Amino acid sequence: MADEAAWDVIDRLAAWLDRGNRVGGEMQTVLQILKISEEAGEVAEAVIGAIGQNPRKGFSHTWTDVQEELCDVIVTAMVALTRVTPDARAVFAEKLERIERRALGEGVQG
């Protein structure tokens, strides 16, 4: 899926969430941001389960579960970004470019 198509899905998800939401405005934004932490906790639970670190549960998850949970974090963060700014696509693209330059150096070619 191309970047723009992914953002189109995010926009539709945000609209779907809006229709089922009982709060609006700033509270909706705050709750969406908090949802990122909830999803990150699910990643942690999946990692612990994938390596069998919980003696009570053993190997309760797989690395595929970890991948799925990481995707949930990404999608949730993308929705949250759309709540914070109407220019989420551009804000994310610009940030990714800055990270690329900082981490990989100027003049990096794909």
Side-chain angles (χ1 to χ4, degrees), residues 3-4 7 11 78 81-82 85-98 101:
D3 291 347
E4 286 301 311
W7 280 106
D11 289 341
M78 290 173 78
L81 187 57
T82 67
T85 177
D87 298 323
R89 296 170 194 226
V91 168
F92 181 74
E94 290 168 11
K95 178 63 175 183
L96 191 57
E97 287 173 13
R98 286 194 308 274
R101 284 192 305 273

Side-chain angles (χ1 to χ4, degrees), residues 34-47:
L34 291 174
K35 182 75 174 161
I36 299 167
S37 294
E38 179 186 352
E39 295 295 344
E42 292 177 14
V43 173
E45 180 181 12
V47 169

Side-chain angles (χ1 to χ4, degrees), residues 49-63:
I51 61 176
Q53 276 305 109
N54 184 332
R56 186 173 56 80
K57 294 182 180 179
F59 290 90
S60 59
H61 292 76
T62 66
W63 287 104

Side-chain angles (χ1 to χ4, degrees), residues 5-54:
W7 280 106
D8 289 343
V9 171
I10 295 302
D11 289 341
R12 291 197 319 269
L13 284 170
W16 173 74
L17 289 167
D18 288 347
R19 288 191 297 274
N21 203 330
R22 295 182 199 170
V23 298
E26 189 173 71
M27 182 55 72
Q28 182 181 21
T29 300
V30 168
L31 292 172
Q32 186 67 47
I33 292 168
L34 291 174
K35 182 75 174 161
I36 299 167
S37 294
E38 179 186 352
E39 295 295 344
E42 292 177 14
V43 173
E45 180 181 12
V47 169
I48 290 167
I51 61 176
Q53 276 305 109
N54 184 332

